[in-house]
Short mmCIF file of all heavy atoms in Angstrom, two decimals:
data_model
loop_
_atom_site.label_atom_id
_atom_site.label_comp_id
_atom_site.label_asym_id
_atom_site.label_seq_id
_atom_site.Cartn_x
_atom_site.Cartn_y
_atom_site.Cartn_z
N TYR A 8 2.35 -8.93 -11.11
CA TYR A 8 1.80 -7.72 -10.60
C TYR A 8 0.34 -7.84 -10.42
O TYR A 8 -0.21 -7.50 -9.38
CB TYR A 8 2.20 -6.58 -11.58
CG TYR A 8 1.93 -5.20 -10.99
CD1 TYR A 8 2.83 -4.56 -10.19
CD2 TYR A 8 0.71 -4.56 -11.29
CE1 TYR A 8 2.57 -3.32 -9.61
CE2 TYR A 8 0.45 -3.30 -10.80
CZ TYR A 8 1.36 -2.69 -10.02
OH TYR A 8 1.09 -1.43 -9.46
N GLY A 9 -0.33 -8.34 -11.43
CA GLY A 9 -1.81 -8.47 -11.36
C GLY A 9 -2.25 -9.48 -10.30
O GLY A 9 -3.26 -9.20 -9.58
N MET A 10 -1.44 -10.49 -10.09
CA MET A 10 -1.81 -11.51 -9.09
C MET A 10 -1.71 -10.86 -7.67
O MET A 10 -2.58 -11.06 -6.83
CB MET A 10 -0.82 -12.70 -9.10
CG MET A 10 -1.15 -13.76 -8.07
SD MET A 10 -0.01 -15.13 -8.14
CE MET A 10 1.44 -14.39 -7.44
N PHE A 11 -0.65 -10.12 -7.40
CA PHE A 11 -0.49 -9.45 -6.14
C PHE A 11 -1.54 -8.40 -5.85
O PHE A 11 -2.08 -8.30 -4.76
CB PHE A 11 0.89 -8.85 -5.97
CG PHE A 11 2.01 -9.85 -5.91
CD1 PHE A 11 2.98 -9.98 -6.89
CD2 PHE A 11 2.06 -10.74 -4.87
CE1 PHE A 11 3.99 -10.89 -6.79
CE2 PHE A 11 3.04 -11.69 -4.72
CZ PHE A 11 4.06 -11.77 -5.70
N ARG A 12 -1.89 -7.66 -6.91
CA ARG A 12 -2.92 -6.69 -6.79
C ARG A 12 -4.28 -7.38 -6.40
O ARG A 12 -5.04 -6.86 -5.59
CB ARG A 12 -3.07 -5.88 -8.09
CG ARG A 12 -4.00 -4.68 -7.92
CD ARG A 12 -4.05 -3.83 -9.17
NE ARG A 12 -4.61 -4.63 -10.30
CZ ARG A 12 -3.90 -4.89 -11.44
NH1 ARG A 12 -2.72 -4.39 -11.65
NH2 ARG A 12 -4.48 -5.59 -12.39
N GLY A 13 -4.50 -8.54 -7.07
CA GLY A 13 -5.73 -9.30 -6.77
C GLY A 13 -5.77 -9.83 -5.29
O GLY A 13 -6.80 -9.75 -4.65
N LEU A 14 -4.59 -10.26 -4.82
CA LEU A 14 -4.49 -10.70 -3.46
C LEU A 14 -4.72 -9.55 -2.50
O LEU A 14 -5.46 -9.68 -1.45
CB LEU A 14 -3.12 -11.33 -3.16
CG LEU A 14 -2.84 -12.67 -3.80
CD1 LEU A 14 -1.40 -13.09 -3.66
CD2 LEU A 14 -3.79 -13.74 -3.28
N ILE A 15 -4.16 -8.44 -2.76
CA ILE A 15 -4.35 -7.25 -1.93
C ILE A 15 -5.83 -6.83 -1.94
O ILE A 15 -6.42 -6.50 -0.90
CB ILE A 15 -3.42 -6.13 -2.28
CG1 ILE A 15 -1.97 -6.52 -2.00
CG2 ILE A 15 -3.77 -4.80 -1.58
CD1 ILE A 15 -0.90 -5.54 -2.48
N ALA A 16 -6.47 -6.86 -3.12
CA ALA A 16 -7.91 -6.51 -3.23
C ALA A 16 -8.76 -7.43 -2.36
O ALA A 16 -9.67 -7.02 -1.67
CB ALA A 16 -8.30 -6.56 -4.71
N ASP A 17 -8.44 -8.75 -2.36
CA ASP A 17 -9.15 -9.72 -1.57
C ASP A 17 -8.99 -9.40 -0.04
O ASP A 17 -9.95 -9.46 0.72
CB ASP A 17 -8.64 -11.13 -1.83
CG ASP A 17 -9.09 -11.64 -3.17
OD1 ASP A 17 -9.99 -11.05 -3.81
OD2 ASP A 17 -8.49 -12.66 -3.64
N ILE A 18 -7.79 -9.04 0.34
CA ILE A 18 -7.52 -8.74 1.77
C ILE A 18 -8.31 -7.49 2.12
O ILE A 18 -8.91 -7.38 3.18
CB ILE A 18 -5.99 -8.52 2.00
CG1 ILE A 18 -5.31 -9.85 1.89
CG2 ILE A 18 -5.72 -7.89 3.37
CD1 ILE A 18 -3.75 -9.77 1.75
N ILE A 19 -8.29 -6.49 1.26
CA ILE A 19 -9.02 -5.23 1.47
C ILE A 19 -10.50 -5.53 1.61
O ILE A 19 -11.15 -5.02 2.50
CB ILE A 19 -8.70 -4.22 0.42
CG1 ILE A 19 -7.25 -3.71 0.54
CG2 ILE A 19 -9.71 -3.06 0.45
CD1 ILE A 19 -6.78 -2.92 -0.60
N GLU A 20 -11.02 -6.35 0.72
CA GLU A 20 -12.46 -6.63 0.73
C GLU A 20 -12.85 -7.34 2.08
O GLU A 20 -13.83 -7.05 2.67
CB GLU A 20 -12.80 -7.51 -0.47
CG GLU A 20 -14.25 -7.80 -0.65
CD GLU A 20 -15.07 -6.56 -0.92
OE1 GLU A 20 -14.57 -5.63 -1.63
OE2 GLU A 20 -16.25 -6.43 -0.44
N ARG A 21 -12.06 -8.31 2.48
CA ARG A 21 -12.33 -9.07 3.76
C ARG A 21 -12.22 -8.09 4.94
O ARG A 21 -13.06 -8.17 5.82
CB ARG A 21 -11.34 -10.23 3.89
CG ARG A 21 -11.80 -11.42 3.09
CD ARG A 21 -10.92 -12.63 3.40
NE ARG A 21 -9.87 -12.69 2.32
CZ ARG A 21 -8.60 -12.90 2.46
NH1 ARG A 21 -8.12 -13.14 3.66
NH2 ARG A 21 -7.82 -12.86 1.47
N GLY A 22 -11.24 -7.25 4.94
CA GLY A 22 -11.06 -6.28 6.00
C GLY A 22 -12.22 -5.26 6.05
O GLY A 22 -12.68 -4.99 7.16
N ALA A 23 -12.70 -4.89 4.93
CA ALA A 23 -13.88 -3.96 4.87
C ALA A 23 -15.10 -4.63 5.40
O ALA A 23 -15.90 -4.08 6.14
CB ALA A 23 -14.04 -3.47 3.43
N ARG A 24 -15.34 -5.88 5.05
CA ARG A 24 -16.52 -6.62 5.50
C ARG A 24 -16.44 -6.80 7.03
O ARG A 24 -17.47 -6.75 7.68
CB ARG A 24 -16.60 -7.98 4.85
CG ARG A 24 -17.19 -7.96 3.45
CD ARG A 24 -17.64 -9.26 2.95
NE ARG A 24 -16.55 -10.31 2.99
CZ ARG A 24 -15.81 -10.66 1.96
NH1 ARG A 24 -16.01 -10.10 0.78
NH2 ARG A 24 -14.88 -11.59 2.06
N LYS A 25 -15.25 -7.00 7.62
CA LYS A 25 -15.08 -7.16 9.04
C LYS A 25 -15.19 -5.80 9.76
O LYS A 25 -15.28 -5.77 10.97
CB LYS A 25 -13.72 -7.81 9.35
CG LYS A 25 -13.65 -9.22 9.04
CD LYS A 25 -12.23 -9.70 9.49
CE LYS A 25 -12.04 -11.16 9.34
NZ LYS A 25 -10.72 -11.57 9.75
N GLY A 26 -15.09 -4.72 9.02
CA GLY A 26 -15.08 -3.42 9.65
C GLY A 26 -13.74 -2.98 10.09
O GLY A 26 -13.61 -1.98 10.85
N SER A 27 -12.73 -3.63 9.68
CA SER A 27 -11.32 -3.26 10.05
C SER A 27 -10.88 -1.92 9.47
O SER A 27 -10.07 -1.22 10.08
CB SER A 27 -10.34 -4.36 9.62
OG SER A 27 -10.60 -5.60 10.28
N PHE A 28 -11.35 -1.65 8.28
CA PHE A 28 -11.09 -0.35 7.63
C PHE A 28 -12.10 -0.03 6.56
O PHE A 28 -12.86 -0.91 6.15
CB PHE A 28 -9.64 -0.29 7.03
CG PHE A 28 -9.24 -1.48 6.23
CD1 PHE A 28 -9.51 -1.50 4.86
CD2 PHE A 28 -8.61 -2.55 6.79
CE1 PHE A 28 -9.22 -2.64 4.07
CE2 PHE A 28 -8.23 -3.66 5.99
CZ PHE A 28 -8.52 -3.67 4.67
N ARG A 29 -12.17 1.20 6.20
CA ARG A 29 -13.12 1.77 5.29
C ARG A 29 -12.53 1.73 3.85
O ARG A 29 -11.39 2.08 3.67
CB ARG A 29 -13.49 3.16 5.69
CG ARG A 29 -14.58 3.81 4.97
CD ARG A 29 -14.89 5.21 5.45
NE ARG A 29 -13.92 6.13 4.95
CZ ARG A 29 -13.27 6.97 5.68
NH1 ARG A 29 -13.43 7.10 6.97
NH2 ARG A 29 -12.41 7.85 5.15
N VAL A 30 -13.34 1.32 2.94
CA VAL A 30 -12.92 1.30 1.54
C VAL A 30 -13.64 2.49 0.79
O VAL A 30 -14.88 2.59 0.85
CB VAL A 30 -13.28 -0.02 0.84
CG1 VAL A 30 -12.94 0.04 -0.64
CG2 VAL A 30 -12.55 -1.15 1.49
N GLU A 31 -12.84 3.33 0.20
CA GLU A 31 -13.35 4.44 -0.63
C GLU A 31 -13.26 4.00 -2.09
O GLU A 31 -12.14 3.93 -2.63
CB GLU A 31 -12.56 5.67 -0.39
CG GLU A 31 -12.71 6.17 1.05
CD GLU A 31 -11.89 7.40 1.35
OE1 GLU A 31 -11.22 7.96 0.40
OE2 GLU A 31 -11.78 7.81 2.49
N GLY A 32 -14.36 3.69 -2.71
CA GLY A 32 -14.30 3.15 -4.02
C GLY A 32 -14.30 1.61 -4.01
O GLY A 32 -14.78 1.01 -3.05
N SER A 33 -13.69 1.03 -4.98
CA SER A 33 -13.64 -0.43 -5.01
C SER A 33 -12.35 -0.95 -4.38
O SER A 33 -11.39 -0.24 -4.31
CB SER A 33 -13.76 -0.88 -6.46
OG SER A 33 -12.51 -0.60 -7.17
N SER A 34 -12.45 -2.18 -3.95
CA SER A 34 -11.24 -2.82 -3.34
C SER A 34 -10.14 -2.95 -4.38
O SER A 34 -8.98 -2.85 -4.09
CB SER A 34 -11.58 -4.16 -2.74
OG SER A 34 -12.17 -5.06 -3.65
N GLU A 35 -10.50 -3.12 -5.69
CA GLU A 35 -9.52 -3.23 -6.74
C GLU A 35 -8.81 -1.86 -6.94
O GLU A 35 -7.59 -1.85 -7.14
CB GLU A 35 -10.16 -3.63 -8.09
CG GLU A 35 -10.69 -5.05 -8.09
CD GLU A 35 -12.04 -5.23 -7.49
OE1 GLU A 35 -12.77 -4.16 -7.23
OE2 GLU A 35 -12.47 -6.31 -7.22
N LEU A 36 -9.55 -0.78 -6.85
CA LEU A 36 -8.95 0.55 -6.93
C LEU A 36 -7.98 0.81 -5.78
O LEU A 36 -6.88 1.31 -5.94
CB LEU A 36 -10.01 1.61 -7.00
CG LEU A 36 -9.56 3.06 -7.11
CD1 LEU A 36 -8.76 3.21 -8.43
CD2 LEU A 36 -10.78 4.01 -7.12
N GLU A 37 -8.46 0.40 -4.60
CA GLU A 37 -7.60 0.58 -3.35
C GLU A 37 -6.34 -0.30 -3.53
O GLU A 37 -5.23 0.20 -3.18
CB GLU A 37 -8.37 0.17 -2.10
CG GLU A 37 -9.56 1.03 -1.84
CD GLU A 37 -9.17 2.47 -1.33
OE1 GLU A 37 -8.04 2.66 -0.88
OE2 GLU A 37 -10.06 3.32 -1.38
N ALA A 38 -6.45 -1.53 -4.01
CA ALA A 38 -5.29 -2.38 -4.17
C ALA A 38 -4.31 -1.80 -5.24
O ALA A 38 -3.09 -1.85 -5.04
CB ALA A 38 -5.77 -3.75 -4.67
N ALA A 39 -4.81 -1.16 -6.25
CA ALA A 39 -3.93 -0.57 -7.25
C ALA A 39 -3.22 0.60 -6.68
O ALA A 39 -2.00 0.81 -6.91
CB ALA A 39 -4.82 -0.09 -8.47
N LEU A 40 -3.85 1.34 -5.78
CA LEU A 40 -3.19 2.46 -5.09
C LEU A 40 -2.04 1.91 -4.17
O LEU A 40 -0.97 2.52 -4.13
CB LEU A 40 -4.17 3.28 -4.30
CG LEU A 40 -3.64 4.44 -3.44
CD1 LEU A 40 -2.95 5.42 -4.37
CD2 LEU A 40 -4.72 5.13 -2.69
N VAL A 41 -2.27 0.86 -3.44
CA VAL A 41 -1.32 0.25 -2.56
C VAL A 41 -0.11 -0.18 -3.44
O VAL A 41 1.05 0.00 -3.09
CB VAL A 41 -1.90 -0.89 -1.70
CG1 VAL A 41 -0.85 -1.69 -1.05
CG2 VAL A 41 -2.88 -0.36 -0.72
N MET A 42 -0.39 -0.89 -4.52
CA MET A 42 0.67 -1.44 -5.36
C MET A 42 1.50 -0.27 -5.99
O MET A 42 2.71 -0.35 -6.03
CB MET A 42 0.16 -2.29 -6.45
CG MET A 42 -0.43 -3.62 -6.01
SD MET A 42 0.80 -4.76 -5.30
CE MET A 42 1.81 -5.11 -6.74
N ALA A 43 0.81 0.78 -6.44
CA ALA A 43 1.52 1.92 -6.99
C ALA A 43 2.39 2.59 -5.94
O ALA A 43 3.54 2.99 -6.22
CB ALA A 43 0.55 2.93 -7.53
N SER A 44 1.89 2.67 -4.69
CA SER A 44 2.69 3.27 -3.62
C SER A 44 3.94 2.45 -3.28
O SER A 44 4.97 2.97 -3.10
CB SER A 44 1.78 3.44 -2.35
OG SER A 44 0.76 4.29 -2.63
N MET A 45 3.73 1.09 -3.24
CA MET A 45 4.88 0.24 -2.99
C MET A 45 5.89 0.27 -4.11
O MET A 45 7.14 0.34 -3.81
CB MET A 45 4.32 -1.25 -2.78
CG MET A 45 3.57 -1.30 -1.48
SD MET A 45 2.71 -2.90 -1.27
CE MET A 45 4.01 -4.09 -1.44
N ALA A 46 5.45 0.36 -5.33
CA ALA A 46 6.40 0.49 -6.44
C ALA A 46 7.15 1.80 -6.34
O ALA A 46 8.34 1.90 -6.56
CB ALA A 46 5.66 0.42 -7.77
N GLY A 47 6.45 2.87 -5.96
CA GLY A 47 7.10 4.18 -5.84
C GLY A 47 8.11 4.16 -4.70
O GLY A 47 9.22 4.81 -4.82
N ILE A 48 7.86 3.50 -3.60
CA ILE A 48 8.84 3.33 -2.51
C ILE A 48 10.08 2.65 -3.03
O ILE A 48 11.18 3.10 -2.72
CB ILE A 48 8.22 2.62 -1.35
CG1 ILE A 48 7.13 3.50 -0.67
CG2 ILE A 48 9.26 2.15 -0.32
CD1 ILE A 48 6.23 2.71 0.36
N LEU A 49 9.90 1.60 -3.79
CA LEU A 49 11.10 0.87 -4.33
C LEU A 49 11.90 1.76 -5.27
O LEU A 49 13.11 1.78 -5.16
CB LEU A 49 10.62 -0.39 -5.02
CG LEU A 49 10.21 -1.52 -4.16
CD1 LEU A 49 9.61 -2.64 -4.99
CD2 LEU A 49 11.29 -2.05 -3.32
N VAL A 50 11.19 2.42 -6.18
CA VAL A 50 11.90 3.26 -7.12
C VAL A 50 12.65 4.40 -6.42
O VAL A 50 13.76 4.73 -6.74
CB VAL A 50 10.93 3.84 -8.18
CG1 VAL A 50 11.53 4.97 -8.97
CG2 VAL A 50 10.39 2.75 -9.06
N ASN A 51 11.97 4.98 -5.40
CA ASN A 51 12.61 6.02 -4.60
C ASN A 51 13.95 5.61 -3.97
O ASN A 51 14.94 6.30 -4.01
CB ASN A 51 11.65 6.50 -3.52
CG ASN A 51 12.24 7.68 -2.70
OD1 ASN A 51 12.52 8.64 -3.22
ND2 ASN A 51 12.29 7.45 -1.37
N GLN A 52 13.96 4.38 -3.49
CA GLN A 52 15.19 3.86 -2.84
C GLN A 52 16.26 3.56 -3.89
O GLN A 52 17.43 3.75 -3.63
CB GLN A 52 14.88 2.65 -2.04
CG GLN A 52 14.02 2.92 -0.82
CD GLN A 52 14.68 3.95 0.12
OE1 GLN A 52 15.73 3.76 0.68
NE2 GLN A 52 14.01 5.06 0.24
N PHE A 53 15.88 2.97 -5.05
CA PHE A 53 16.86 2.62 -6.07
C PHE A 53 17.47 3.88 -6.73
O PHE A 53 18.68 3.93 -7.02
CB PHE A 53 16.24 1.77 -7.14
CG PHE A 53 16.01 0.39 -6.69
CD1 PHE A 53 14.78 -0.25 -6.95
CD2 PHE A 53 16.95 -0.37 -6.01
CE1 PHE A 53 14.49 -1.53 -6.54
CE2 PHE A 53 16.74 -1.68 -5.54
CZ PHE A 53 15.46 -2.25 -5.83
N LEU A 54 16.66 4.91 -6.95
CA LEU A 54 17.10 6.08 -7.71
C LEU A 54 17.61 7.23 -6.85
O LEU A 54 18.31 8.10 -7.39
CB LEU A 54 16.02 6.57 -8.64
CG LEU A 54 15.49 5.64 -9.72
CD1 LEU A 54 14.42 6.26 -10.48
CD2 LEU A 54 16.68 5.20 -10.61
N ASN A 55 17.33 7.16 -5.57
CA ASN A 55 17.74 8.32 -4.72
C ASN A 55 18.37 7.81 -3.48
O ASN A 55 17.70 7.60 -2.42
CB ASN A 55 16.45 9.15 -4.41
CG ASN A 55 16.72 10.41 -3.72
OD1 ASN A 55 17.92 10.75 -3.48
ND2 ASN A 55 15.72 11.13 -3.34
N GLU A 56 19.64 7.61 -3.49
CA GLU A 56 20.32 7.08 -2.33
C GLU A 56 20.35 8.02 -1.15
O GLU A 56 20.58 7.66 -0.02
CB GLU A 56 21.72 6.65 -2.69
CG GLU A 56 22.63 7.74 -3.14
CD GLU A 56 23.98 7.19 -3.68
OE1 GLU A 56 23.97 6.25 -4.46
OE2 GLU A 56 24.98 7.80 -3.28
N LYS A 57 20.08 9.30 -1.43
CA LYS A 57 19.99 10.31 -0.31
C LYS A 57 18.54 10.70 -0.03
O LYS A 57 18.27 11.79 0.41
CB LYS A 57 20.78 11.53 -0.75
CG LYS A 57 22.29 11.31 -0.86
CD LYS A 57 22.99 12.57 -1.21
CE LYS A 57 24.46 12.27 -1.38
NZ LYS A 57 25.27 13.47 -1.67
N ALA A 58 17.64 9.76 -0.20
CA ALA A 58 16.20 9.98 0.08
C ALA A 58 16.06 10.30 1.59
O ALA A 58 16.71 9.73 2.40
CB ALA A 58 15.38 8.77 -0.30
N PRO A 59 15.20 11.30 1.86
CA PRO A 59 15.04 11.68 3.25
C PRO A 59 14.40 10.61 4.14
O PRO A 59 14.59 10.67 5.38
CB PRO A 59 14.18 12.94 3.18
CG PRO A 59 13.44 12.79 1.87
CD PRO A 59 14.36 12.05 0.97
N TYR A 60 13.74 9.66 3.53
CA TYR A 60 13.11 8.55 4.32
C TYR A 60 13.52 7.23 3.72
O TYR A 60 13.52 7.09 2.50
CB TYR A 60 11.62 8.69 4.29
CG TYR A 60 11.14 10.00 4.88
CD1 TYR A 60 10.65 11.01 4.06
CD2 TYR A 60 11.12 10.23 6.24
CE1 TYR A 60 10.18 12.21 4.55
CE2 TYR A 60 10.67 11.45 6.77
CZ TYR A 60 10.19 12.44 5.93
OH TYR A 60 9.77 13.61 6.45
N ASP A 61 13.79 6.29 4.59
CA ASP A 61 14.09 4.89 4.10
C ASP A 61 12.83 4.20 3.76
O ASP A 61 11.72 4.63 4.12
CB ASP A 61 15.03 4.16 5.07
CG ASP A 61 14.30 3.83 6.39
OD1 ASP A 61 13.07 4.13 6.52
OD2 ASP A 61 14.96 3.26 7.25
N SER A 62 12.98 3.06 3.09
CA SER A 62 11.77 2.35 2.57
C SER A 62 10.93 1.77 3.74
O SER A 62 9.73 1.78 3.66
CB SER A 62 12.17 1.18 1.63
OG SER A 62 13.09 0.31 2.31
N ARG A 63 11.56 1.38 4.87
CA ARG A 63 10.77 0.92 6.01
C ARG A 63 9.89 2.00 6.58
O ARG A 63 8.73 1.80 6.87
CB ARG A 63 11.75 0.37 7.06
CG ARG A 63 11.09 -0.05 8.37
CD ARG A 63 9.94 -0.99 8.37
NE ARG A 63 10.26 -2.20 7.65
CZ ARG A 63 9.39 -3.16 7.31
NH1 ARG A 63 8.11 -2.95 7.54
NH2 ARG A 63 9.77 -4.20 6.66
N THR A 64 10.42 3.19 6.68
CA THR A 64 9.64 4.33 7.22
C THR A 64 8.46 4.62 6.30
O THR A 64 7.35 4.85 6.80
CB THR A 64 10.59 5.55 7.40
OG1 THR A 64 11.62 5.25 8.31
CG2 THR A 64 9.79 6.78 7.91
N LEU A 65 8.77 4.65 5.00
CA LEU A 65 7.67 4.96 4.06
C LEU A 65 6.63 3.86 4.06
O LEU A 65 5.42 4.09 3.99
CB LEU A 65 8.21 5.10 2.64
CG LEU A 65 9.06 6.36 2.43
CD1 LEU A 65 9.80 6.28 1.11
CD2 LEU A 65 8.27 7.60 2.55
N LEU A 66 7.00 2.58 4.18
CA LEU A 66 6.09 1.47 4.13
C LEU A 66 5.22 1.54 5.41
O LEU A 66 4.03 1.32 5.38
CB LEU A 66 6.84 0.13 4.06
CG LEU A 66 5.94 -1.08 3.93
CD1 LEU A 66 5.01 -0.98 2.78
CD2 LEU A 66 6.80 -2.33 3.81
N ASP A 67 5.84 1.82 6.59
CA ASP A 67 5.15 1.89 7.83
C ASP A 67 4.11 3.05 7.72
O ASP A 67 2.93 2.91 8.20
CB ASP A 67 6.11 2.15 9.02
CG ASP A 67 6.84 0.92 9.35
OD1 ASP A 67 6.45 -0.22 8.95
OD2 ASP A 67 7.88 1.10 10.08
N HIS A 68 4.52 4.18 7.13
CA HIS A 68 3.57 5.26 6.99
C HIS A 68 2.43 4.92 6.01
O HIS A 68 1.26 5.27 6.30
CB HIS A 68 4.28 6.53 6.47
CG HIS A 68 3.40 7.70 6.34
ND1 HIS A 68 2.77 8.32 7.44
CD2 HIS A 68 2.90 8.34 5.26
CE1 HIS A 68 2.01 9.30 6.98
NE2 HIS A 68 2.11 9.36 5.66
N LEU A 69 2.68 4.19 5.00
CA LEU A 69 1.65 3.73 4.07
C LEU A 69 0.65 2.89 4.77
O LEU A 69 -0.55 3.10 4.66
CB LEU A 69 2.23 2.98 2.85
CG LEU A 69 1.23 2.35 1.91
CD1 LEU A 69 0.41 3.39 1.21
CD2 LEU A 69 2.02 1.44 0.89
N LYS A 70 1.10 1.95 5.61
CA LYS A 70 0.21 1.06 6.37
C LYS A 70 -0.61 1.87 7.34
O LYS A 70 -1.85 1.73 7.40
CB LYS A 70 0.97 0.03 7.19
CG LYS A 70 1.55 -1.06 6.24
CD LYS A 70 2.11 -2.19 7.11
CE LYS A 70 3.56 -2.04 7.33
NZ LYS A 70 4.14 -3.13 8.06
N THR A 71 -0.02 2.84 8.07
CA THR A 71 -0.78 3.64 9.02
C THR A 71 -1.76 4.53 8.28
O THR A 71 -2.95 4.55 8.69
CB THR A 71 0.19 4.52 9.77
OG1 THR A 71 1.13 3.64 10.51
CG2 THR A 71 -0.51 5.42 10.80
N ALA A 72 -1.36 5.10 7.25
CA ALA A 72 -2.30 6.03 6.47
C ALA A 72 -3.43 5.24 5.88
O ALA A 72 -4.59 5.72 5.87
CB ALA A 72 -1.51 6.75 5.40
N THR A 73 -3.16 4.05 5.44
CA THR A 73 -4.19 3.23 4.76
C THR A 73 -5.23 2.74 5.80
O THR A 73 -6.41 2.76 5.58
CB THR A 73 -3.60 2.06 4.06
OG1 THR A 73 -2.71 2.50 3.06
CG2 THR A 73 -4.65 1.18 3.37
N LEU A 74 -4.75 2.30 7.00
CA LEU A 74 -5.63 1.75 7.99
C LEU A 74 -6.39 2.84 8.80
O LEU A 74 -7.38 2.49 9.36
CB LEU A 74 -4.86 0.86 8.94
CG LEU A 74 -4.30 -0.43 8.27
CD1 LEU A 74 -3.40 -1.13 9.29
CD2 LEU A 74 -5.41 -1.35 7.84
N THR A 75 -5.93 4.07 8.84
CA THR A 75 -6.57 5.04 9.68
C THR A 75 -7.51 6.01 8.93
O THR A 75 -8.06 6.84 9.60
CB THR A 75 -5.53 5.87 10.44
OG1 THR A 75 -4.64 6.57 9.48
CG2 THR A 75 -4.72 5.06 11.38
N ARG A 76 -7.58 5.86 7.63
CA ARG A 76 -8.51 6.80 6.96
C ARG A 76 -9.92 6.30 6.90
O ARG A 76 -10.33 5.31 7.22
CB ARG A 76 -7.99 7.13 5.61
CG ARG A 76 -7.88 5.96 4.68
CD ARG A 76 -7.35 6.42 3.35
NE ARG A 76 -7.27 5.20 2.57
CZ ARG A 76 -7.89 5.06 1.40
NH1 ARG A 76 -8.57 6.04 0.89
NH2 ARG A 76 -7.82 3.98 0.75
#
């Protein structure tokens, strides 16, 4: 988990330096938010077979929301 969070933080940091997206706070904090969201998407699918949104839809929305803010 920590390794993936670190990789995501590195990607966020590089993207912020390139101007691809804005970072609010630290890249580590942003990476933790992404990881928590992804874990929540997985839990939602495992525990709620009648979830109103499938995991692909939620993941696509997470990507869009993260990149457009």
Side-chain angles (χ1 to χ4, degrees):
Y8 190 86
M10 181 183 73
F11 291 117
R12 190 177 60 241
L14 291 171
I15 292 172
D17 289 343
I18 292 167
I19 290 170
E20 186 65 35
R21 279 186 263 137
R24 281 196 304 262
K25 287 182 176 180
S27 298
F28 47 88
R29 187 177 78 228
V30 175
E31 296 176 6
S33 71
S34 58
E35 292 84 11
L36 182 61
E37 297 288 341
L40 179 59
V41 170
M42 290 296 293
S44 298
M45 290 171 55
I48 289 169
L49 286 172
V50 168
N51 182 58
Q52 292 303 298
F53 288 133
L54 297 179
N55 187 4
E56 61 188 48
K57 294 182 182 181
Y60 301 104
D61 66 3
S62 58
R63 172 53 56 192
T64 301
L65 291 170
L66 185 57
D67 288 344
H68 181 67
L69 173 63
K70 286 191 266 185
T71 301
T73 301
L74 293 174
T75 59
R76 59 181 182 124

